[in-house]
Amino acid sequence: MTPTLVPHHPARDWAEIQERMLVPLYEAVYDRIGVGPGSRVLGLGCGSGLALLMAAGRGARVAGADPDPARLALARERLPEVPLALSGLPEGGPYDVITALHGAAALGSNPAAVTRLAERGGAIVLACWGPAERCATASVLRVAARLAGWGPAERKGLEAAVAAAGLSVAGSGRVACPFGYADRDSAVRGLLSTGEFDAALAATDPDQVEKELLEALEPYVRGDGTVWMPNVFRYVVARTP
């Protein structure tokens, strides 16, 4: 199968195609910890701001940070009055909810510093992919790892990240987040926007990356041309002392 050769705009593809796939995760986390009027939510790795927008829609005051300037620019379009930081952390706080819903790496190299922004008894919520056997997308991510020249990604466990922040896990959950796309093109653009393929794109010809991604997607293409990939995401909740 030949590459689609469609121009990619990762930040906008994330905002327009991929980010909505995680809405069930965002909703489940906010329901679990009771985000609503009076909540003060700090989103780390906030991307283009959909999770913050949803929290604001529940009546919460929100702030965010993300290292990607293109994604953060889109978040500023959605949330022009919200404090957003490209590097470091936005001013404000303390927060009763701090989230890193796209992986523990958003806590940075000093997670204990992040927890100091939380008020006493505040919730720290981390989320990432669930078990590989429950995630159809895991087979596609293995392609990304191979093309990047390294083995399957070793992701820091959520519990380990919580412990590094000097906290303990108070609860956890799993949420079904199927990835559904209108066609192969949308699937390629959405998955490339996640950042999971960045190392592969830097190490390999982008056309080859796209070709192998399309091949890996083929088992999930349905008769009408849509793409459907069942996945489970996992989150943990810690509470500050």
mmCIF file with all atom_site columns, all heavy atoms in Angstrom, residues 137-155 195-201 203-204 209 212-213 216:
data_model
loop_
_atom_site.group_PDB
_atom_site.id
_atom_site.type_symbol
_atom_site.label_atom_id
_atom_site.label_alt_id
_atom_site.label_comp_id
_atom_site.label_asym_id
_atom_site.label_entity_id
_atom_site.label_seq_id
_atom_site.pdbx_PDB_ins_code
_atom_site.Cartn_x
_atom_site.Cartn_y
_atom_site.Cartn_z
_atom_site.occupancy
_atom_site.B_iso_or_equiv
_atom_site.pdbx_formal_charge
_atom_site.auth_seq_id
_atom_site.auth_comp_id
_atom_site.auth_asym_id
_atom_site.auth_atom_id
_atom_site.pdbx_PDB_model_num
ATOM 1   N N   . THR A 1 137 ? -4.385 -0.275 19.600 1.00 0.00 ? 137 THR A N   1
ATOM 2   C CA  . THR A 1 137 ? -3.371 0.642  19.091 1.00 0.00 ? 137 THR A CA  1
ATOM 3   C C   . THR A 1 137 ? -1.959 0.203  19.468 1.00 0.00 ? 137 THR A C   1
ATOM 4   O O   . THR A 1 137 ? -0.982 0.669  18.873 1.00 0.00 ? 137 THR A O   1
ATOM 5   C CB  . THR A 1 137 ? -3.651 2.070  19.596 1.00 0.00 ? 137 THR A CB  1
ATOM 6   O OG1 . THR A 1 137 ? -5.020 2.402  19.300 1.00 0.00 ? 137 THR A OG1 1
ATOM 7   C CG2 . THR A 1 137 ? -2.761 3.095  18.932 1.00 0.00 ? 137 THR A CG2 1
ATOM 8   N N   . ALA A 1 138 ? -1.817 -0.693 20.439 1.00 0.00 ? 138 ALA A N   1
ATOM 9   C CA  . ALA A 1 138 ? -0.487 -1.152 20.842 1.00 0.00 ? 138 ALA A CA  1
ATOM 10  C C   . ALA A 1 138 ? 0.280  -1.752 19.671 1.00 0.00 ? 138 ALA A C   1
ATOM 11  O O   . ALA A 1 138 ? 1.499  -1.572 19.557 1.00 0.00 ? 138 ALA A O   1
ATOM 12  C CB  . ALA A 1 138 ? -0.603 -2.166 21.977 1.00 0.00 ? 138 ALA A CB  1
ATOM 13  N N   . SER A 1 139 ? -0.417 -2.454 18.782 1.00 0.00 ? 139 SER A N   1
ATOM 14  C CA  . SER A 1 139 ? 0.270  -3.060 17.637 1.00 0.00 ? 139 SER A CA  1
ATOM 15  C C   . SER A 1 139 ? 0.815  -1.998 16.699 1.00 0.00 ? 139 SER A C   1
ATOM 16  O O   . SER A 1 139 ? 1.871  -2.169 16.073 1.00 0.00 ? 139 SER A O   1
ATOM 17  C CB  . SER A 1 139 ? -0.679 -3.998 16.882 1.00 0.00 ? 139 SER A CB  1
ATOM 18  O OG  . SER A 1 139 ? -1.788 -3.284 16.357 1.00 0.00 ? 139 SER A OG  1
ATOM 19  N N   . VAL A 1 140 ? 0.115  -0.879 16.592 1.00 0.00 ? 140 VAL A N   1
ATOM 20  C CA  . VAL A 1 140 ? 0.579  0.222  15.756 1.00 0.00 ? 140 VAL A CA  1
ATOM 21  C C   . VAL A 1 140 ? 1.774  0.916  16.412 1.00 0.00 ? 140 VAL A C   1
ATOM 22  O O   . VAL A 1 140 ? 2.736  1.290  15.742 1.00 0.00 ? 140 VAL A O   1
ATOM 23  C CB  . VAL A 1 140 ? -0.562 1.224  15.514 1.00 0.00 ? 140 VAL A CB  1
ATOM 24  C CG1 . VAL A 1 140 ? -0.080 2.426  14.728 1.00 0.00 ? 140 VAL A CG1 1
ATOM 25  C CG2 . VAL A 1 140 ? -1.713 0.543  14.779 1.00 0.00 ? 140 VAL A CG2 1
ATOM 26  N N   . LEU A 1 141 ? 1.744  1.066  17.729 1.00 0.00 ? 141 LEU A N   1
ATOM 27  C CA  . LEU A 1 141 ? 2.845  1.718  18.429 1.00 0.00 ? 141 LEU A CA  1
ATOM 28  C C   . LEU A 1 141 ? 4.122  0.889  18.361 1.00 0.00 ? 141 LEU A C   1
ATOM 29  O O   . LEU A 1 141 ? 5.229  1.437  18.408 1.00 0.00 ? 141 LEU A O   1
ATOM 30  C CB  . LEU A 1 141 ? 2.458  1.981  19.884 1.00 0.00 ? 141 LEU A CB  1
ATOM 31  C CG  . LEU A 1 141 ? 1.252  2.897  20.097 1.00 0.00 ? 141 LEU A CG  1
ATOM 32  C CD1 . LEU A 1 141 ? 1.029  3.149  21.577 1.00 0.00 ? 141 LEU A CD1 1
ATOM 33  C CD2 . LEU A 1 141 ? 1.422  4.207  19.349 1.00 0.00 ? 141 LEU A CD2 1
ATOM 34  N N   . ARG A 1 142 ? 3.991  -0.415 18.240 1.00 0.00 ? 142 ARG A N   1
ATOM 35  C CA  . ARG A 1 142 ? 5.189  -1.252 18.086 1.00 0.00 ? 142 ARG A CA  1
ATOM 36  C C   . ARG A 1 142 ? 5.902  -0.930 16.773 1.00 0.00 ? 142 ARG A C   1
ATOM 37  O O   . ARG A 1 142 ? 7.127  -1.018 16.682 1.00 0.00 ? 142 ARG A O   1
ATOM 38  C CB  . ARG A 1 142 ? 4.826  -2.730 18.171 1.00 0.00 ? 142 ARG A CB  1
ATOM 39  C CG  . ARG A 1 142 ? 4.553  -3.201 19.605 1.00 0.00 ? 142 ARG A CG  1
ATOM 40  C CD  . ARG A 1 142 ? 4.495  -4.706 19.699 1.00 0.00 ? 142 ARG A CD  1
ATOM 41  N NE  . ARG A 1 142 ? 3.280  -5.260 19.121 1.00 0.00 ? 142 ARG A NE  1
ATOM 42  C CZ  . ARG A 1 142 ? 2.146  -5.442 19.792 1.00 0.00 ? 142 ARG A CZ  1
ATOM 43  N NH1 . ARG A 1 142 ? 2.069  -5.102 21.080 1.00 0.00 ? 142 ARG A NH1 1
ATOM 44  N NH2 . ARG A 1 142 ? 1.091  -5.966 19.212 1.00 0.00 ? 142 ARG A NH2 1
ATOM 45  N N   . VAL A 1 143 ? 5.138  -0.552 15.761 1.00 0.00 ? 143 VAL A N   1
ATOM 46  C CA  . VAL A 1 143 ? 5.747  -0.129 14.495 1.00 0.00 ? 143 VAL A CA  1
ATOM 47  C C   . VAL A 1 143 ? 6.564  1.134  14.727 1.00 0.00 ? 143 VAL A C   1
ATOM 48  O O   . VAL A 1 143 ? 7.696  1.271  14.245 1.00 0.00 ? 143 VAL A O   1
ATOM 49  C CB  . VAL A 1 143 ? 4.668  0.116  13.425 1.00 0.00 ? 143 VAL A CB  1
ATOM 50  C CG1 . VAL A 1 143 ? 5.271  0.752  12.183 1.00 0.00 ? 143 VAL A CG1 1
ATOM 51  C CG2 . VAL A 1 143 ? 3.955  -1.185 13.082 1.00 0.00 ? 143 VAL A CG2 1
ATOM 52  N N   . ALA A 1 144 ? 6.009  2.075  15.480 1.00 0.00 ? 144 ALA A N   1
ATOM 53  C CA  . ALA A 1 144 ? 6.717  3.322  15.767 1.00 0.00 ? 144 ALA A CA  1
ATOM 54  C C   . ALA A 1 144 ? 8.023  3.041  16.486 1.00 0.00 ? 144 ALA A C   1
ATOM 55  O O   . ALA A 1 144 ? 9.072  3.623  16.158 1.00 0.00 ? 144 ALA A O   1
ATOM 56  C CB  . ALA A 1 144 ? 5.839  4.243  16.600 1.00 0.00 ? 144 ALA A CB  1
ATOM 57  N N   . ALA A 1 145 ? 7.998  2.144  17.474 1.00 0.00 ? 145 ALA A N   1
ATOM 58  C CA  . ALA A 1 145 ? 9.212  1.828  18.225 1.00 0.00 ? 145 ALA A CA  1
ATOM 59  C C   . ALA A 1 145 ? 10.260 1.180  17.335 1.00 0.00 ? 145 ALA A C   1
ATOM 60  O O   . ALA A 1 145 ? 11.452 1.517  17.394 1.00 0.00 ? 145 ALA A O   1
ATOM 61  C CB  . ALA A 1 145 ? 8.867  0.909  19.393 1.00 0.00 ? 145 ALA A CB  1
ATOM 62  N N   . ARG A 1 146 ? 9.843  0.257  16.481 1.00 0.00 ? 146 ARG A N   1
ATOM 63  C CA  . ARG A 1 146 ? 10.805 -0.433 15.613 1.00 0.00 ? 146 ARG A CA  1
ATOM 64  C C   . ARG A 1 146 ? 11.450 0.536  14.635 1.00 0.00 ? 146 ARG A C   1
ATOM 65  O O   . ARG A 1 146 ? 12.667 0.513  14.420 1.00 0.00 ? 146 ARG A O   1
ATOM 66  C CB  . ARG A 1 146 ? 10.093 -1.564 14.865 1.00 0.00 ? 146 ARG A CB  1
ATOM 67  C CG  . ARG A 1 146 ? 10.982 -2.300 13.869 1.00 0.00 ? 146 ARG A CG  1
ATOM 68  C CD  . ARG A 1 146 ? 10.290 -3.498 13.270 1.00 0.00 ? 146 ARG A CD  1
ATOM 69  N NE  . ARG A 1 146 ? 8.999  -3.183 12.702 1.00 0.00 ? 146 ARG A NE  1
ATOM 70  C CZ  . ARG A 1 146 ? 8.819  -2.569 11.534 1.00 0.00 ? 146 ARG A CZ  1
ATOM 71  N NH1 . ARG A 1 146 ? 9.858  -2.183 10.814 1.00 0.00 ? 146 ARG A NH1 1
ATOM 72  N NH2 . ARG A 1 146 ? 7.611  -2.325 11.078 1.00 0.00 ? 146 ARG A NH2 1
ATOM 73  N N   . LEU A 1 147 ? 10.661 1.412  14.027 1.00 0.00 ? 147 LEU A N   1
ATOM 74  C CA  . LEU A 1 147 ? 11.208 2.358  13.064 1.00 0.00 ? 147 LEU A CA  1
ATOM 75  C C   . LEU A 1 147 ? 12.114 3.394  13.734 1.00 0.00 ? 147 LEU A C   1
ATOM 76  O O   . LEU A 1 147 ? 13.015 3.945  13.097 1.00 0.00 ? 147 LEU A O   1
ATOM 77  C CB  . LEU A 1 147 ? 10.076 3.066  12.318 1.00 0.00 ? 147 LEU A CB  1
ATOM 78  C CG  . LEU A 1 147 ? 9.268  2.187  11.363 1.00 0.00 ? 147 LEU A CG  1
ATOM 79  C CD1 . LEU A 1 147 ? 8.088  2.963  10.790 1.00 0.00 ? 147 LEU A CD1 1
ATOM 80  C CD2 . LEU A 1 147 ? 10.150 1.659  10.236 1.00 0.00 ? 147 LEU A CD2 1
ATOM 81  N N   . ALA A 1 148 ? 11.871 3.642  15.001 1.00 0.00 ? 148 ALA A N   1
ATOM 82  C CA  . ALA A 1 148 ? 12.729 4.584  15.728 1.00 0.00 ? 148 ALA A CA  1
ATOM 83  C C   . ALA A 1 148 ? 14.059 3.948  16.107 1.00 0.00 ? 148 ALA A C   1
ATOM 84  O O   . ALA A 1 148 ? 14.989 4.644  16.511 1.00 0.00 ? 148 ALA A O   1
ATOM 85  C CB  . ALA A 1 148 ? 12.020 5.085  16.979 1.00 0.00 ? 148 ALA A CB  1
ATOM 86  N N   . GLY A 1 149 ? 14.135 2.617  16.019 1.00 0.00 ? 149 GLY A N   1
ATOM 87  C CA  . GLY A 1 149 ? 15.387 1.922  16.310 1.00 0.00 ? 149 GLY A CA  1
ATOM 88  C C   . GLY A 1 149 ? 15.546 1.497  17.743 1.00 0.00 ? 149 GLY A C   1
ATOM 89  O O   . GLY A 1 149 ? 16.647 1.214  18.196 1.00 0.00 ? 149 GLY A O   1
ATOM 90  N N   . TRP A 1 150 ? 14.422 1.411  18.483 1.00 0.00 ? 150 TRP A N   1
ATOM 91  C CA  . TRP A 1 150 ? 14.512 0.919  19.837 1.00 0.00 ? 150 TRP A CA  1
ATOM 92  C C   . TRP A 1 150 ? 13.353 -0.014 20.116 1.00 0.00 ? 150 TRP A C   1
ATOM 93  O O   . TRP A 1 150 ? 12.407 -0.111 19.341 1.00 0.00 ? 150 TRP A O   1
ATOM 94  C CB  . TRP A 1 150 ? 14.555 2.047  20.879 1.00 0.00 ? 150 TRP A CB  1
ATOM 95  C CG  . TRP A 1 150 ? 13.794 3.291  20.564 1.00 0.00 ? 150 TRP A CG  1
ATOM 96  C CD1 . TRP A 1 150 ? 14.217 4.333  19.812 1.00 0.00 ? 150 TRP A CD1 1
ATOM 97  C CD2 . TRP A 1 150 ? 12.470 3.646  21.012 1.00 0.00 ? 150 TRP A CD2 1
ATOM 98  N NE1 . TRP A 1 150 ? 13.256 5.310  19.753 1.00 0.00 ? 150 TRP A NE1 1
ATOM 99  C CE2 . TRP A 1 150 ? 12.180 4.920  20.488 1.00 0.00 ? 150 TRP A CE2 1
ATOM 100 C CE3 . TRP A 1 150 ? 11.517 3.023  21.816 1.00 0.00 ? 150 TRP A CE3 1
ATOM 101 C CZ2 . TRP A 1 150 ? 10.991 5.576  20.719 1.00 0.00 ? 150 TRP A CZ2 1
ATOM 102 C CZ3 . TRP A 1 150 ? 10.321 3.677  22.061 1.00 0.00 ? 150 TRP A CZ3 1
ATOM 103 C CH2 . TRP A 1 150 ? 10.065 4.942  21.516 1.00 0.00 ? 150 TRP A CH2 1
ATOM 104 N N   . GLY A 1 151 ? 13.458 -0.734 21.204 1.00 0.00 ? 151 GLY A N   1
ATOM 105 C CA  . GLY A 1 151 ? 12.452 -1.730 21.550 1.00 0.00 ? 151 GLY A CA  1
ATOM 106 C C   . GLY A 1 151 ? 11.149 -1.090 21.972 1.00 0.00 ? 151 GLY A C   1
ATOM 107 O O   . GLY A 1 151 ? 11.005 0.137  21.936 1.00 0.00 ? 151 GLY A O   1
ATOM 108 N N   . PRO A 1 152 ? 10.174 -1.893 22.373 1.00 0.00 ? 152 PRO A N   1
ATOM 109 C CA  . PRO A 1 152 ? 8.890  -1.359 22.825 1.00 0.00 ? 152 PRO A CA  1
ATOM 110 C C   . PRO A 1 152 ? 9.088  -0.306 23.913 1.00 0.00 ? 152 PRO A C   1
ATOM 111 O O   . PRO A 1 152 ? 9.943  -0.437 24.782 1.00 0.00 ? 152 PRO A O   1
ATOM 112 C CB  . PRO A 1 152 ? 8.169  -2.603 23.380 1.00 0.00 ? 152 PRO A CB  1
ATOM 113 C CG  . PRO A 1 152 ? 8.784  -3.742 22.640 1.00 0.00 ? 152 PRO A CG  1
ATOM 114 C CD  . PRO A 1 152 ? 10.225 -3.358 22.433 1.00 0.00 ? 152 PRO A CD  1
ATOM 115 N N   . ALA A 1 153 ? 8.319  0.749  23.820 1.00 0.00 ? 153 ALA A N   1
ATOM 116 C CA  . ALA A 1 153 ? 8.482  1.868  24.749 1.00 0.00 ? 153 ALA A CA  1
ATOM 117 C C   . ALA A 1 153 ? 8.309  1.417  26.193 1.00 0.00 ? 153 ALA A C   1
ATOM 118 O O   . ALA A 1 153 ? 7.368  0.705  26.524 1.00 0.00 ? 153 ALA A O   1
ATOM 119 C CB  . ALA A 1 153 ? 7.462  2.968  24.436 1.00 0.00 ? 153 ALA A CB  1
ATOM 120 N N   . GLU A 1 154 ? 9.230  1.845  27.031 1.00 0.00 ? 154 GLU A N   1
ATOM 121 C CA  . GLU A 1 154 ? 9.099  1.594  28.455 1.00 0.00 ? 154 GLU A CA  1
ATOM 122 C C   . GLU A 1 154 ? 8.499  2.843  29.084 1.00 0.00 ? 154 GLU A C   1
ATOM 123 O O   . GLU A 1 154 ? 9.134  3.886  29.138 1.00 0.00 ? 154 GLU A O   1
ATOM 124 C CB  . GLU A 1 154 ? 10.461 1.289  29.071 1.00 0.00 ? 154 GLU A CB  1
ATOM 125 C CG  . GLU A 1 154 ? 11.039 -0.044 28.628 1.00 0.00 ? 154 GLU A CG  1
ATOM 126 C CD  . GLU A 1 154 ? 12.305 -0.388 29.385 1.00 0.00 ? 154 GLU A CD  1
ATOM 127 O OE1 . GLU A 1 154 ? 12.610 0.329  30.368 1.00 0.00 ? 154 GLU A OE1 1
ATOM 128 O OE2 . GLU A 1 154 ? 12.972 -1.346 28.996 1.00 0.00 ? 154 GLU A OE2 1
ATOM 129 N N   . ARG A 1 155 ? 7.291  2.710  29.542 1.00 0.00 ? 155 ARG A N   1
ATOM 130 C CA  . ARG A 1 155 ? 6.613  3.867  30.119 1.00 0.00 ? 155 ARG A CA  1
ATOM 131 C C   . ARG A 1 155 ? 6.700  3.786  31.635 1.00 0.00 ? 155 ARG A C   1
ATOM 132 O O   . ARG A 1 155 ? 6.492  2.750  32.223 1.00 0.00 ? 155 ARG A O   1
ATOM 133 C CB  . ARG A 1 155 ? 5.143  3.889  29.681 1.00 0.00 ? 155 ARG A CB  1
ATOM 134 C CG  . ARG A 1 155 ? 4.995  3.953  28.174 1.00 0.00 ? 155 ARG A CG  1
ATOM 135 C CD  . ARG A 1 155 ? 3.535  3.844  27.760 1.00 0.00 ? 155 ARG A CD  1
ATOM 136 N NE  . ARG A 1 155 ? 3.465  3.685  26.333 1.00 0.00 ? 155 ARG A NE  1
ATOM 137 C CZ  . ARG A 1 155 ? 3.523  4.678  25.453 1.00 0.00 ? 155 ARG A CZ  1
ATOM 138 N NH1 . ARG A 1 155 ? 3.651  5.902  25.887 1.00 0.00 ? 155 ARG A NH1 1
ATOM 139 N NH2 . ARG A 1 155 ? 3.463  4.451  24.165 1.00 0.00 ? 155 ARG A NH2 1
ATOM 140 N N   . GLY A 1 195 ? 2.403  12.218 18.891 1.00 0.00 ? 195 GLY A N   1
ATOM 141 C CA  . GLY A 1 195 ? 3.786  12.313 19.352 1.00 0.00 ? 195 GLY A CA  1
ATOM 142 C C   . GLY A 1 195 ? 4.460  10.971 19.475 1.00 0.00 ? 195 GLY A C   1
ATOM 143 O O   . GLY A 1 195 ? 5.685  10.889 19.608 1.00 0.00 ? 195 GLY A O   1
ATOM 144 N N   . GLU A 1 196 ? 3.681  9.889  19.416 1.00 0.00 ? 196 GLU A N   1
ATOM 145 C CA  . GLU A 1 196 ? 4.247  8.552  19.560 1.00 0.00 ? 196 GLU A CA  1
ATOM 146 C C   . GLU A 1 196 ? 5.174  8.192  18.398 1.00 0.00 ? 196 GLU A C   1
ATOM 147 O O   . GLU A 1 196 ? 6.036  7.313  18.530 1.00 0.00 ? 196 GLU A O   1
ATOM 148 C CB  . GLU A 1 196 ? 3.122  7.509  19.658 1.00 0.00 ? 196 GLU A CB  1
ATOM 149 C CG  . GLU A 1 196 ? 2.182  7.692  20.829 1.00 0.00 ? 196 GLU A CG  1
ATOM 150 C CD  . GLU A 1 196 ? 2.755  7.181  22.139 1.00 0.00 ? 196 GLU A CD  1
ATOM 151 O OE1 . GLU A 1 196 ? 3.922  6.728  22.139 1.00 0.00 ? 196 GLU A OE1 1
ATOM 152 O OE2 . GLU A 1 196 ? 2.052  7.241  23.157 1.00 0.00 ? 196 GLU A OE2 1
ATOM 153 N N   . PHE A 1 197 ? 5.000  8.852  17.256 1.00 0.00 ? 197 PHE A N   1
ATOM 154 C CA  . PHE A 1 197 ? 5.802  8.541  16.075 1.00 0.00 ? 197 PHE A CA  1
ATOM 155 C C   . PHE A 1 197 ? 6.908  9.551  15.820 1.00 0.00 ? 197 PHE A C   1
ATOM 156 O O   . PHE A 1 197 ? 7.604  9.457  14.806 1.00 0.00 ? 197 PHE A O   1
ATOM 157 C CB  . PHE A 1 197 ? 4.889  8.456  14.840 1.00 0.00 ? 197 PHE A CB  1
ATOM 158 C CG  . PHE A 1 197 ? 4.053  7.213  14.787 1.00 0.00 ? 197 PHE A CG  1
ATOM 159 C CD1 . PHE A 1 197 ? 2.877  7.132  15.501 1.00 0.00 ? 197 PHE A CD1 1
ATOM 160 C CD2 . PHE A 1 197 ? 4.440  6.114  14.035 1.00 0.00 ? 197 PHE A CD2 1
ATOM 161 C CE1 . PHE A 1 197 ? 2.098  5.986  15.467 1.00 0.00 ? 197 PHE A CE1 1
ATOM 162 C CE2 . PHE A 1 197 ? 3.672  4.968  13.993 1.00 0.00 ? 197 PHE A CE2 1
ATOM 163 C CZ  . PHE A 1 197 ? 2.501  4.895  14.709 1.00 0.00 ? 197 PHE A CZ  1
ATOM 164 N N   . ASP A 1 198 ? 7.093  10.512 16.710 1.00 0.00 ? 198 ASP A N   1
ATOM 165 C CA  . ASP A 1 198 ? 8.070  11.568 16.454 1.00 0.00 ? 198 ASP A CA  1
ATOM 166 C C   . ASP A 1 198 ? 9.481  11.014 16.283 1.00 0.00 ? 198 ASP A C   1
ATOM 167 O O   . ASP A 1 198 ? 10.226 11.432 15.384 1.00 0.00 ? 198 ASP A O   1
ATOM 168 C CB  . ASP A 1 198 ? 8.044  12.600 17.580 1.00 0.00 ? 198 ASP A CB  1
ATOM 169 C CG  . ASP A 1 198 ? 6.797  13.478 17.539 1.00 0.00 ? 198 ASP A CG  1
ATOM 170 O OD1 . ASP A 1 198 ? 5.977  13.315 16.614 1.00 0.00 ? 198 ASP A OD1 1
ATOM 171 O OD2 . ASP A 1 198 ? 6.646  14.323 18.440 1.00 0.00 ? 198 ASP A OD2 1
ATOM 172 N N   . ALA A 1 199 ? 9.868  10.073 17.140 1.00 0.00 ? 199 ALA A N   1
ATOM 173 C CA  . ALA A 1 199 ? 11.213 9.503  17.044 1.00 0.00 ? 199 ALA A CA  1
ATOM 174 C C   . ALA A 1 199 ? 11.376 8.725  15.748 1.00 0.00 ? 199 ALA A C   1
ATOM 175 O O   . ALA A 1 199 ? 12.434 8.776  15.108 1.00 0.00 ? 199 ALA A O   1
ATOM 176 C CB  . ALA A 1 199 ? 11.498 8.609  18.248 1.00 0.00 ? 199 ALA A CB  1
ATOM 177 N N   . ALA A 1 200 ? 10.334 8.004  15.338 1.00 0.00 ? 200 ALA A N   1
ATOM 178 C CA  . ALA A 1 200 ? 10.395 7.256  14.082 1.00 0.00 ? 200 ALA A CA  1
ATOM 179 C C   . ALA A 1 200 ? 10.524 8.199  12.895 1.00 0.00 ? 200 ALA A C   1
ATOM 180 O O   . ALA A 1 200 ? 11.296 7.956  11.967 1.00 0.00 ? 200 ALA A O   1
ATOM 181 C CB  . ALA A 1 200 ? 9.162  6.371  13.935 1.00 0.00 ? 200 ALA A CB  1
ATOM 182 N N   . LEU A 1 201 ? 9.792  9.300  12.923 1.00 0.00 ? 201 LEU A N   1
ATOM 183 C CA  . LEU A 1 201 ? 9.849  10.267 11.822 1.00 0.00 ? 201 LEU A CA  1
ATOM 184 C C   . LEU A 1 201 ? 11.219 10.930 11.741 1.00 0.00 ? 201 LEU A C   1
ATOM 185 O O   . LEU A 1 201 ? 11.677 11.294 10.652 1.00 0.00 ? 201 LEU A O   1
ATOM 186 C CB  . LEU A 1 201 ? 8.758  11.321 12.007 1.00 0.00 ? 201 LEU A CB  1
ATOM 187 C CG  . LEU A 1 201 ? 7.323  10.841 11.786 1.00 0.00 ? 201 LEU A CG  1
ATOM 188 C CD1 . LEU A 1 201 ? 6.337  11.878 12.289 1.00 0.00 ? 201 LEU A CD1 1
ATOM 189 C CD2 . LEU A 1 201 ? 7.065  10.530 10.324 1.00 0.00 ? 201 LEU A CD2 1
ATOM 190 N N   . ALA A 1 203 ? 14.013 9.402  12.595 1.00 0.00 ? 203 ALA A N   1
ATOM 191 C CA  . ALA A 1 203 ? 15.027 8.396  12.276 1.00 0.00 ? 203 ALA A CA  1
ATOM 192 C C   . ALA A 1 203 ? 14.832 7.744  10.924 1.00 0.00 ? 203 ALA A C   1
ATOM 193 O O   . ALA A 1 203 ? 15.753 7.109  10.404 1.00 0.00 ? 203 ALA A O   1
ATOM 194 C CB  . ALA A 1 203 ? 15.027 7.309  13.365 1.00 0.00 ? 203 ALA A CB  1
ATOM 195 N N   . THR A 1 204 ? 13.644 7.878  10.338 1.00 0.00 ? 204 THR A N   1
ATOM 196 C CA  . THR A 1 204 ? 13.282 7.131  9.135  1.00 0.00 ? 204 THR A CA  1
ATOM 197 C C   . THR A 1 204 ? 12.602 8.065  8.143  1.00 0.00 ? 204 THR A C   1
ATOM 198 O O   . THR A 1 204 ? 12.007 9.073  8.528  1.00 0.00 ? 204 THR A O   1
ATOM 199 C CB  . THR A 1 204 ? 12.313 5.977  9.497  1.00 0.00 ? 204 THR A CB  1
ATOM 200 O OG1 . THR A 1 204 ? 12.861 5.233  10.587 1.00 0.00 ? 204 THR A OG1 1
ATOM 201 C CG2 . THR A 1 204 ? 12.068 5.049  8.329  1.00 0.00 ? 204 THR A CG2 1
ATOM 202 N N   . VAL A 1 209 ? 7.509  5.611  7.166  1.00 0.00 ? 209 VAL A N   1
ATOM 203 C CA  . VAL A 1 209 ? 6.726  5.569  8.400  1.00 0.00 ? 209 VAL A CA  1
ATOM 204 C C   . VAL A 1 209 ? 5.240  5.489  8.076  1.00 0.00 ? 209 VAL A C   1
ATOM 205 O O   . VAL A 1 209 ? 4.501  4.660  8.629  1.00 0.00 ? 209 VAL A O   1
ATOM 206 C CB  . VAL A 1 209 ? 7.015  6.808  9.276  1.00 0.00 ? 209 VAL A CB  1
ATOM 207 C CG1 . VAL A 1 209 ? 6.078  6.845  10.487 1.00 0.00 ? 209 VAL A CG1 1
ATOM 208 C CG2 . VAL A 1 209 ? 8.471  6.822  9.733  1.00 0.00 ? 209 VAL A CG2 1
ATOM 209 N N   . GLU A 1 212 ? 4.222  2.026  6.585  1.00 0.00 ? 212 GLU A N   1
ATOM 210 C CA  . GLU A 1 212 ? 4.122  0.946  7.567  1.00 0.00 ? 212 GLU A CA  1
ATOM 211 C C   . GLU A 1 212 ? 2.984  1.189  8.555  1.00 0.00 ? 212 GLU A C   1
ATOM 212 O O   . GLU A 1 212 ? 2.372  0.233  9.047  1.00 0.00 ? 212 GLU A O   1
ATOM 213 C CB  . GLU A 1 212 ? 5.453  0.770  8.278  1.00 0.00 ? 212 GLU A CB  1
ATOM 214 C CG  . GLU A 1 212 ? 6.567  0.333  7.328  1.00 0.00 ? 212 GLU A CG  1
ATOM 215 C CD  . GLU A 1 212 ? 7.715  -0.364 8.026  1.00 0.00 ? 212 GLU A CD  1
ATOM 216 O OE1 . GLU A 1 212 ? 7.485  -0.977 9.090  1.00 0.00 ? 212 GLU A OE1 1
ATOM 217 O OE2 . GLU A 1 212 ? 8.835  -0.292 7.506  1.00 0.00 ? 212 GLU A OE2 1
ATOM 218 N N   . LEU A 1 213 ? 2.701  2.434  8.833  1.00 0.00 ? 213 LEU A N   1
ATOM 219 C CA  . LEU A 1 213 ? 1.548  2.745  9.681  1.00 0.00 ? 213 LEU A CA  1
ATOM 220 C C   . LEU A 1 213 ? 0.258  2.303  8.996  1.00 0.00 ? 213 LEU A C   1
ATOM 221 O O   . LEU A 1 213 ? -0.617 1.688  9.620  1.00 0.00 ? 213 LEU A O   1
ATOM 222 C CB  . LEU A 1 213 ? 1.524  4.240  9.992  1.00 0.00 ? 213 LEU A CB  1
ATOM 223 C CG  . LEU A 1 213 ? 0.316  4.797  10.750 1.00 0.00 ? 213 LEU A CG  1
ATOM 224 C CD1 . LEU A 1 213 ? 0.052  4.023  12.022 1.00 0.00 ? 213 LEU A CD1 1
ATOM 225 C CD2 . LEU A 1 213 ? 0.518  6.279  11.048 1.00 0.00 ? 213 LEU A CD2 1
ATOM 226 N N   . ALA A 1 216 ? -0.077 -1.419 9.275  1.00 0.00 ? 216 ALA A N   1
ATOM 227 C CA  . ALA A 1 216 ? -0.446 -1.843 10.620 1.00 0.00 ? 216 ALA A CA  1
ATOM 228 C C   . ALA A 1 216 ? -1.913 -1.553 10.923 1.00 0.00 ? 216 ALA A C   1
ATOM 229 O O   . ALA A 1 216 ? -2.548 -2.257 11.731 1.00 0.00 ? 216 ALA A O   1
ATOM 230 C CB  . ALA A 1 216 ? 0.445  -1.144 11.645 1.00 0.00 ? 216 ALA A CB  1
#
